[in-house]
């Protein structure tokens, strides 16, 4: 009876919360606020078995012989309190359907000056599995790995396949006889110029439960890999003092200067069909040893972590660097209706006594999202819970996204920027939603022009009562202004792959692929999502995305000649300088534009000789904000440099 009362109490709390909400574009911002003091986090640190499995080139699959992969019915991915979550979500679905309005997104436009731009895109291998678990990584040489829950394939930037599809059973065929491999992650490490591929076993077996990591031997993802497995059953790792056998689920991955971090939720079986959540763990591995193909890389597990986080999301560096032998992690406060993000930091590499600290960060209260609607059917898309989806780090700020409840019981993107201020963490939060659209499973990547610019792109799956499931993107600039959503791939049919555990639902997500292109001349991000095809199943789509926040006349111009250009200081407080190494004599123009592409002024015109020149300028009354300096030599653009003017 008490459980029933608590459920009703939370149910009416959320009804009241949104009764008076206007169905217009929502981008409410919660400004930086104080957080709890950072403190050590008690955790059990145990060395785990790292097994070198060999170095070889993955075996390609015959597309004609590739089997249809049905729904992963054994792959449960439960919430902490699954029974409560499902009851509550069912009630939200009923409320949302009872109030179904006409889709009005087209009438809710904001300014288009910062809207993302889909430059190109291509479809990839299809699959019948659900969820798709899309993941993508692009290297500096333009090769792309696009993977989903059953296979990966390698492409170049124009979408031409560089390999046949590789089923994960084939990718790992030389090291495991397991057929139930899923939840892939692919990652490009820009400092090492290497790829990492993760896959886990999804048969809910606890005996010798391991996860797999493959490290490319070169920057060619179609080449050979060093293969490793890491033991993850906590009872086998820690010893028989641990009360239950566990299996690993819902992975996240990122790299620091020296290590690769993989996080996951641990489950214990209670019957042949039921499992229960136990805890979340961090696997820390010496990545450099794995890149070198060493047979005994150091690896350890953090468990029994203070605060009992659910789904820890590591924040790898969002640009071309790392931030040392440090890794920040973000986690939501389970399925609670309170507003809270838990921040964890592991300091030191795995060979140098790493320690973990924690802090709680307050954000506006959020709730469990309703399921996603589809046109012409009561078959819903399961949104799971509020677990963390994606994170990245830029210039002292962690960007963290997940989905949560939004206006009118539609699913919203919960976007957060988290920054350390002294001995505390502070948060800047924005709830991004669109009228009558369910926006699920967001991923975030840096789209800034400089290392200080916090601009980001979010790619996500979407659906509604009038839109078949598809993929969209939204841009958030340095000042937290949100663009309109743009279409990356539209669906053409609803998806009704039956979930045998939850009848009337199709699993959606569980995550969307995203990767910044690290050596692009202008900020470029690649997204990988899923859409409903004509067969009522899922297909996959890769998109190349830029943004009109950077003036089109500058962004799209070919930059001639590799010149050495340096602007300093940046951000600008008073005076500033441009240092150029000129490769040929001629006429030089230095022009200043705002972010709408409007020319502000001609800063300087001169005839220059070959060699180094330095020009210095005063701030000259420029307002606080961001600008683009365009440098033209002999009528050819040789540089587009972004500057930030501070107070």
């Amino acid at each position: 009876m008490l459980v029933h009362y608590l459920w009703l109490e939370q149910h009416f709390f959320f009804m009241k919360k949104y009764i008076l909400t206007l169905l217009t574009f929502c981008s409410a911002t919660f400004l930086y606020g104080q957080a709890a003091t950072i403190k050590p986090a008690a955790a059990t640190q145990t060395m785990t078995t790292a097994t070198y499995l060999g170095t070889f080139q993955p075996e390609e699959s015959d597309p004609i012989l590739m089997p249809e992969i049905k729904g992963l019915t054994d792959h449960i991915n439960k919430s902490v309190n699954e029974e409560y979550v499902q009851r509550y979500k069912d009630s939200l679905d009923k409320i949302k359907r009872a109030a179904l309005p006409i889709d009005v997104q087209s009438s809710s436009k904001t300014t288009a000056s910062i809207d993302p731009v889909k430059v190109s895109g291509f479809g990839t291998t299809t699959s019948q599995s659900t969820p798709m678990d899309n993941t993508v990584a692009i290297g500096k040489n333009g090769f792309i790995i696009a993977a989903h829950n059953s296979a990966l394939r390698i492409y170049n930037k124009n979408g031409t396949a560089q390999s046949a599809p590789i089923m994960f059973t084939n990718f790992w065929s030389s090291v495991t006889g397991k057929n139930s491999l899923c939840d892939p992650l692919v990652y490009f490490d820009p400092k090492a110029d290497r790829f990492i591929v993760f896959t886990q076993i999804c048969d809910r077996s606890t005996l010798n439960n391991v996860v797999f990591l493959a490290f490319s031997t070169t920057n060619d993802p179609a080449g050979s890999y060093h293969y490793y497995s890491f033991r993850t059953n906590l009872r086998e790792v820690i010893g028989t003092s641990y009360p239950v056998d566990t299996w690993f689920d819902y992975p996240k991955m990122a790299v620091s200067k020296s290590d690769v971090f993989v996080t996951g939720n641990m489950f214990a079986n209670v019957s042949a069909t039921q499992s229960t959540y136990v805890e979340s763990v961090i696997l820390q591995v010496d990545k450099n040893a794995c890149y070198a193909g060493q047979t005994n890389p150091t690896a350890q597990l953090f468990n029994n972590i203070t605060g009992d986080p659910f789904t820890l999301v590591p924040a790898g560096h969002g640009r071309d660097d790392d931030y040392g032998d440090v890794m920040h992690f973000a986690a939501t406060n389970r399925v609670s209706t309170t507003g809270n993000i838990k921040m964890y930091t592991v300091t030191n590499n795995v060979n140098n006594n790493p320690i973990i600290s924690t802090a709680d960060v307050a954000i506006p209260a959020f709730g469990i999202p309703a399921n996603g609607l589809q046109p012409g059917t009561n078959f819903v898309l399961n949104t799971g819970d509020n677990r963390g989806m994606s994170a990245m780090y830029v210039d002292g700020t962690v960007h963290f996204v997940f989905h949560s409840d939004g206006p009118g019981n539609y699913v919203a993107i919960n976007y957060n920027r988290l920054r350390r201020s002294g001995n505390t963490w502070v948060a800047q939060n924005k709830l991004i939603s669109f009228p009558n659209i369910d926006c699920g499973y967001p991923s975030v990547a840096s789209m800034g022009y400089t290392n200080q610019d916090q601009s980001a792109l979010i790619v996500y799956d979407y659906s509604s009562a009038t839109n078949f499931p598809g993929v969209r993107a939204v841009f958030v600039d340095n000042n937290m202004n949100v663009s309109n959503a743009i279409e990356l791939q539209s669906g053409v049919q609803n998806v009704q792959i039956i979930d045998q555990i939850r009848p009337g639902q199709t699993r959606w997500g569980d995550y969307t692929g995203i990767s910044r292109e690290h050596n692009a001349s202008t900020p470029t991000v690649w997204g990988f999502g899923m859409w409903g095809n004509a067969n009522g199943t899922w297909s996959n789509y890769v998109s190349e995305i830029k943004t009109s926040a950077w003036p089109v006349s500058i962004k799209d111009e070919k930059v001639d000649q590799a010149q050495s250009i340096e602007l300093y200081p940046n951000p600008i407080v008073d005076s500033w300088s441009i240092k150029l190494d000129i490769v040929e004599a001629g006429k030089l123009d230095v022009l200043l534009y705002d972010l709408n592409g409007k020319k502000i002024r001609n800063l300087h015109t001169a005839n220059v000789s070959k060699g180094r020149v330095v020009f210095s300028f005063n701030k000259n009354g420029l307002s606080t904000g961001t600008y683009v300096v365009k440098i033209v030599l002999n009528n050819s653009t040789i540089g587009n440099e972004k500057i930030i003017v501070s107070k």
Side-chain angles (χ1 to χ4, degrees), residues 13-14 17-18 30 336-340 362-367 402 404-405 414 429 431:
F13 168 79
F14 283 106
K17 181 178 178 182
Y18 290 117
F30 175 77
S336 170
T337 58
T338 60
N340 183 271
I363 66 170
F366 57 85
F402 57 96
S404 65
D405 59 333
N414 205 307
N429 169 275
L431 190 69

Side-chain angles (χ1 to χ4, degrees), residues 90-267:
D90 287 346
S91 69
L92 293 183
D93 294 346
K94 292 177 182 177
I95 295 171
K96 185 160 63 171
R97 286 192 181 281
L100 268 180
I102 298 173
D103 190 295
V104 294
Q105 187 186 9
S106 59
S107 65
S108 60
K109 291 291 185 181
T110 63
T111 174
S113 63
I114 60 173
D115 285 359
V117 177
K118 176 185 169 184
V119 177
S120 65
F122 55 90
T124 70
T125 54
T126 189
S127 173
Q128 309 304 311
S129 65
T130 187
M132 293 297 292
D133 292 348
N134 298 98
T135 178
V136 69
I138 180 169
K140 294 179 181 179
N141 56 9
F143 289 129
I144 299 166
I145 303 180
H148 55 67
N149 233 331
S150 58
L152 65 80
R153 198 169 192 181
I154 297 160
Y155 301 86
N156 63 20
K157 290 169 62 173
N158 65 14
T160 302
Q162 305 298 294
S163 73
I166 304 174
M167 300 289 293
F168 281 111
T169 50
N170 286 38
F171 189 88
W172 299 100
S173 60
S174 298
V175 297
T176 176
K178 295 284 188 180
N179 292 318
S180 52
L181 299 172
C182 67
D183 282 12
L185 295 170
V186 294
Y187 194 96
F188 177 71
D189 182 349
K191 289 294 289 291
D193 199 18
R194 302 284 189 90
F195 290 88
I196 305 173
V197 178
F198 169 94
T199 317
Q200 69 185 45
I201 298 172
C202 290
D203 59 7
R204 297 175 55 229
S205 172
T206 58
L207 181 64
N208 296 322
N209 185 260
V210 296
V211 298
F212 298 107
L213 285 170
F215 298 79
S216 68
T217 59
T218 68
N219 62 4
D220 181 3
S224 60
Y225 289 78
H226 300 305
Y227 283 76
Y228 294 88
S229 67
F230 301 88
R231 184 164 291 185
T232 51
N233 180 349
L234 292 176
R235 196 169 191 180
E236 293 176 348
V237 173
I238 296 171
T240 55
S241 60
Y242 197 82
V244 294
D245 288 304
T246 60
W247 51 273
F248 187 99
D249 195 23
Y250 202 72
K252 299 294 177 185
M253 179 168 64
V255 301
S256 66
K257 178 181 179 181
S258 303
D259 299 330
V260 57
F261 291 86
V262 178
T263 63
N265 296 330
M266 306 304 296
F267 286 82

Side-chain angles (χ1 to χ4, degrees), residues 308-330:
D308 193 19
F310 180 61
T311 308
L312 287 152
V313 184
H317 202 287
R319 296 182 63 83
D320 305 334
D321 208 343
D322 56 62
Y323 50 106
D325 285 324
V326 177
M327 181 60 66
H328 300 304
F329 304 78

Side-chain angles (χ1 to χ4, degrees), residues 437-579:
I437 302 288
D438 291 306
C439 306
Y441 299 96
S443 287
V444 64
S446 170
M447 214 173 201
Y449 221 118
T450 68
N451 289 331
Q452 293 76 37
D453 186 358
Q454 297 297 331
S455 298
L457 188 84
I458 300 171
V459 176
Y460 59 95
D461 295 328
Y462 79 95
S463 189
S464 78
T466 55
N467 295 97
F468 295 118
V471 192
R472 286 179 176 169
V474 67
F475 175 77
V476 187
D477 72 8
N478 185 70
N479 298 316
M480 292 289 275
N481 298 308
V482 180
S483 74
N484 298 299
I486 64 157
E487 196 77 9
L488 301 180
Q489 177 62 37
S490 301
V492 297
Q493 184 57 270
N494 56 53
V495 179
Q496 298 188 32
I497 301 176
I498 297 174
D499 187 331
Q500 296 180 16
I501 298 173
R502 309 175 186 91
Q505 300 183 20
T506 292
R507 288 192 60 193
W508 196 22
D510 278 328
Y511 38 89
T512 302
I514 199 166
S515 181
R516 178 180 170 96
E517 185 176 340
H518 290 280
N519 62 343
S521 59
T522 55
T524 305
V525 170
W526 293 76
F528 187 34
M530 60 190 199
W531 56 281
N533 62 36
N535 297 322
T537 58
W538 296 116
S539 289
N540 305 281
Y541 196 84
V542 173
S543 302
E544 179 187 9
I545 310 151
K546 298 181 185 288
T547 176
S548 54
W550 320 131
V552 174
S553 60
I554 290 176
K555 175 181 68 66
D556 286 341
E557 280 191 3
K558 181 176 182 288
V559 177
D560 293 335
Q561 307 175 54
Q563 311 275 345
S564 173
I565 302 173
E566 182 181 355
L567 275 68
Y568 59 93
N570 195 5
I572 297 166
V573 177
D574 189 8
S575 62
W576 58 288
S577 300
I578 302 175
K579 183 189 296 183

Side-chain angles (χ1 to χ4, degrees), residues 272-338:
T273 58
Q274 294 295 316
S275 298
T276 185
Y277 170 75
V278 178
E279 62 173 303
S280 293
V281 298
I282 300 171
L283 172 66
Q284 183 180 6
V285 179
D286 183 346
K287 73 169 186 181
N288 295 319
C290 295
Y291 286 143
Q294 295 181 14
T295 56
N296 295 300
T298 307
Q300 75 163 8
L301 276 171
F302 286 93
N303 81 296
N304 192 30
I305 299 171
T306 295
D308 193 19
F310 180 61
T311 308
L312 287 152
V313 184
H317 202 287
R319 296 182 63 83
D320 305 334
D321 208 343
D322 56 62
Y323 50 106
D325 285 324
V326 177
M327 181 60 66
H328 300 304
F329 304 78
T332 52
N333 194 18
R334 292 193 168 186
V335 295
S336 170
T337 58
T338 60

Side-chain angles (χ1 to χ4, degrees), residues 79-92:
S79 305
V80 174
N81 186 342
E82 181 76 3
E83 183 180 357
Y84 160 72
V85 169
Q86 291 307 312
R87 287 205 316 268
Y88 179 67
K89 285 158 66 73
D90 287 346
S91 69
L92 293 183

